[in-house]
């Protein structure tokens, strides 16, 4: 019998031709065979039932692996769709992918699903899991697929097949009586899905196009162990308590209004937090040789055609007309940076030139995806564009990586790194893309950073490094990014005079650290659950006089704190001290200082700290020193 050599992460094993990944897992260990969900064969994710007929590299993936989780969640979406078709045969199937955390499936149905329907669907899913159906793949021709879907009365699936390239492989998956058009892969059987929960209902346009019919989307999550679902539900409850939309309103940081969906309003306390972040940004960038610039919000259409945004991004842009000429509101800051670079002749001695901009941008987002400060239509990017010689690429990218690392450690964030490669909708030659991607990869490897390759998720003009923050309850948020760009300097004919006296083409880096100031504030609210550290807290100290007769002394204390640049406020309400303390606790203020007869007579304050409660009496000077020390150390 013919043999194949299988490379299992460096270990070469020989097996009979036609062996499956599941059989290889069984050969390695019973535990792995039980936990394996799908396999990665020469970089492609396949079912465990796939027949191996040639030498290959093979990885057996479990729920611990991202691709394993995605296959698990996608398979659960099929279980949910099977349950829906059993209970509501009139529902038409559309798509049911895995998402970053869990899955959804979109259905077309005349009647609306209700929370009670979700309970019924969950119970039916339990039956399907208990029945432990095998996921069976069937490869068929385009004509057969259209015929089969016509018999099944699934018009959306027919549309999907017709839109596939002529040479595309078409497959169906079946579990029990349920059959669905799907590229796969899937886990071995429904019985592996030990715990799941349908989490919410939403509307979604077919194919994300507002001109199409509104569908009903059911979201869910699933796990191979019940304990994992329990942990997840606890985390979700904790996340609800930290919801920045709720806390932002309660703490007086920002608000959202129907007069401007997706356009946040920042209140005085929110602006204090905003200014702390931007002042910190300016100080740290100045130290590292950046020059701050400001470019217009509206520029003419010709600029956006030249930059490539017109061809690759216009659906996300806003437009206006001025003096019979078409203009666009900027969705990105980079074209303005190009124009500014061209206002001077640059020598190689000027490079690298680091231009930073806290630039307000506008992007047309669908109303259904707007979410507090996390997804808005107007936001401020902490952008910078670095113009350099090709020989400076590695050092500049490493410099930005170091700056990102410094920023995130200040806020107590751990982070993961991804390298995103060329997307389908992009511009430029393969040679330049490969050169740019290799440069980013080399910088990451020189820094010793582990990273994941995110195929096809780069910007349309270049590959990028993305930084995903991990917050205090384990969620990740994509914030910082470094994009290497050979395209725009070419499009805008940017040059510098080299040592040889000739013109040369610079390379540029686009980069952000906060990403969006608005979104970063939303992340901070949830990360700290609104209980900001002293250096970030919009109000650091609230002064609570015990009664009206202590008000004059309280005002003197406030004046002394403010002279020391401590952000203090005085509670002048005619309320009992217990009420004032409780209210300050609800506002999550770092410090309360209580003043009465004793404090007034000894020129002192009685201090309560948010985390520990009453910490006793202090002289005003000692208290000021304590607060300033925390500020100094970003605590």
């Amino acid at each position: 019998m013919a043999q194949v050599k299988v490379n299992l992460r460096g270990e070469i094993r020989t097996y009979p031709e036609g062996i499956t990944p599941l059989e290889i897992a069984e050969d390695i260990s019973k535990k792995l065979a039980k936990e394996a969900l799908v396999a990665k064969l020469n970089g492609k994710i396949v079912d465990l039932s796939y027949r191996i007929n040639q030498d290959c590299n093979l990885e057996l993936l479990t729920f611990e692996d991202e691709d394993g989780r995605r296959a698990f969640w996608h398979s659960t979406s099929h279980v949910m769709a099977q349950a829906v078709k059993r209970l509501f045969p009139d529902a038409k199937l559309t798509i049911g992918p895995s998402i970053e955390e869990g899955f959804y499936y979109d259905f077309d149905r005349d009647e609306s699903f209700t929370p009670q329907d979700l309970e019924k669907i969950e119970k039916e899913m339990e039956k399907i899991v208990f029945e432990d159906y095998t996921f069976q793949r069937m490869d068929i021709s385009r004509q057969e697929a259209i015929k089969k879907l016509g018999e099944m009365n699934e018009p959306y699936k027919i549309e999907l097949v017709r839109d596939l390239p002529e040479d595309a492989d078409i497959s169906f998956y079946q579990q029990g009586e349920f059959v669905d058009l799907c590229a796969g892969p899937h886990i071995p059987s429904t019985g592996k899905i030990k715990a799941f929960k349908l989490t919410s209902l939403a509307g979604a346009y077919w194919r994300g196009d507002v001109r199409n019919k509104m569908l009903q989307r059911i979201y869910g999550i699933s796990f191979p162990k019940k304990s994992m679902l329990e942990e997840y539900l606890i985390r979700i409850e904790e996340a609800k308590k930290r919801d920045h939309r709720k806390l932002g309103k309660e703490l007086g940081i920002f608000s959202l209004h129907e007069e401007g969906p997706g356009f946040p309003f920042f209140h005085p306390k929110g602006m204090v937090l905003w200014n702390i972040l931007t002042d910190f940004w300016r100080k740290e960038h100045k130290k590292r040789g950046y020059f701050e610039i400001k470019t217009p919000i509206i520029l003419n259409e010709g600029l956006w055609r030249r930059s490539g945004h017109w061809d690759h991004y216009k659906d996300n842009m806003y437009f206006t007309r001025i003096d019979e000429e078409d203009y666009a509101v900027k969705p990105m800051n980079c074209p303005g940076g190009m124009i500014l670079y061209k206002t001077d002749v640059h020598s190689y001695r000027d490079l690298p030139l680091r231009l930073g901009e806290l630039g307000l941008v506008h992007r047309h987002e669908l109303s259904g995806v707007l979410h507090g400060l996390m997804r808005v239509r107007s936001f401020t990017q902490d952008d910078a564009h670095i113009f350099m010689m090709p020989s400076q690429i590695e050092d500049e990218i490493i410099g930005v990586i170091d700056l990102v690392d410094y920023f995130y450690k200040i806020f107590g964030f751990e982070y993961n790194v991804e390298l995103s490669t060329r997307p389908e909708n992009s511009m430029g030659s393969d040679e330049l893309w490969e050169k740019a991607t290799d440069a980013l990869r080399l910088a990451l490897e020189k820094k010793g950073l582990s990273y994941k390759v995110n195929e096809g998720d780069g910007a349309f003009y270049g590959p990028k490094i993305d930084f995903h923050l991990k917050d205090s309850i384990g969620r990740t948020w994509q914030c910082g990014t470094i994009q290497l760009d050979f395209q725009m300097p070419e499009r805008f004919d940017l040059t510098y005079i080299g040592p040889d006296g000739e013109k040369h083409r610079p390379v540029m880096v686009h980069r952000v650290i906060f990403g969006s100031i608005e979104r970063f504030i939303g992340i901070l609210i949830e990360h700290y659950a609104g209980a900001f550290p002293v250096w970030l807290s919009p109000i650091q100290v609230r002064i609570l006089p015990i009664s009206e007769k202590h008000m004059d002394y309280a005002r003197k204390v406030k004046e002394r704190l403010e002279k020391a640049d401590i952000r203090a406020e005085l509670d002048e309400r005619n309320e009992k001290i217990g009420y004032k303390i409780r209210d300050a606790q609800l506002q999550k203020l770092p410090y309360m200082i209580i003043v009465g007869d004793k404090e007034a007579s000894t020129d002192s304050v009685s201090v309560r700290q948010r985390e520990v409660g009453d910490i006793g009496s202090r002289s005003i000077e000692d208290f000021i020193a304590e607060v300033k020390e925390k500020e100094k150390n970003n605590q």
Side-chain angles (χ1 to χ4, degrees), residues 277-345:
L277 292 175
T278 53
D279 289 348
F280 172 73
W281 184 92
R282 287 188 167 102
K283 182 181 76 172
E284 295 303 328
H285 281 73
K286 187 176 181 180
K287 284 181 189 176
R288 292 163 177 82
Y290 285 79
F291 299 96
E292 187 173 358
I293 63 170
K294 182 176 175 62
T295 63
I297 291 175
I298 299 175
L299 293 164
N300 72 24
E301 181 186 302
L303 173 75
W304 302 105
R305 288 184 182 276
R306 200 184 340 160
S307 69
H309 289 84
W310 185 267
D311 293 328
H312 299 276
Y313 208 76
K314 68 180 176 184
D315 289 344
N316 291 90
M317 295 169 66
Y318 295 109
F319 300 94
T320 188
R321 195 163 175 81
I322 304 170
D323 296 335
E324 305 305 314
E325 189 175 352
D326 292 325
Y327 283 73
V329 181
K330 68 177 177 181
M332 298 178 190
N333 296 303
C334 36
M338 309 293 122
I339 292 174
L340 197 143
Y341 179 90
K342 290 196 73 169
T343 58
D344 288 316
V345 175

Side-chain angles (χ1 to χ4, degrees), residues 333-383:
N333 296 303
C334 36
M338 309 293 122
I339 292 174
L340 197 143
Y341 179 90
K342 290 196 73 169
T343 58
D344 288 316
V345 175
H346 297 281
S347 160
Y348 71 96
R349 293 187 180 91
D350 303 328
L351 306 182
L353 178 62
R354 306 182 186 104
L355 302 179
E357 178 175 13
L358 293 167
L360 180 64
V361 299
H362 291 74
R363 296 181 184 177
H364 181 218
E365 301 283 3
L366 297 174
S367 59
V369 301
L370 298 175
H371 180 77
L373 297 179
M374 305 306 190
R375 194 74 174 264
V376 292
R377 288 171 169 158
S378 170
F379 59 94
T380 302
Q381 283 189 310
D382 64 316
D383 243 325

Side-chain angles (χ1 to χ4, degrees), residues 37 74 164 317 414 444:
L37 299 172
H74 178 50
L164 289 171
M317 295 169 66
E414 296 177 7
L444 287 171

Side-chain angles (χ1 to χ4, degrees), residues 32 67 118 132 287 294 353 375 378 408 518 576:
L32 180 58
D67 287 321
L118 294 195
D132 196 18
K287 284 181 189 176
K294 182 176 175 62
L353 178 62
R375 194 74 174 264
S378 170
Y408 293 169
E518 289 82 350
K576 291 182 179 179

Side-chain angles (χ1 to χ4, degrees), residues 540-551:
Q540 296 168 315
V541 184
R542 183 179 285 180
I543 304 157
L544 311 178
I546 290 176
S547 69
E548 181 66 29
K549 69 178 182 177
H550 305 115
M551 197 65 72

Side-chain angles (χ1 to χ4, degrees), residues 395-413:
D395 286 344
E396 286 305 300
I397 292 171
I398 287 173
V400 177
I401 291 172
D402 288 340
L403 182 56
V404 168
D405 182 72
Y406 175 77
F407 265 59
Y408 293 169
K409 282 180 177 173
I410 289 289
F411 296 95
F413 288 118

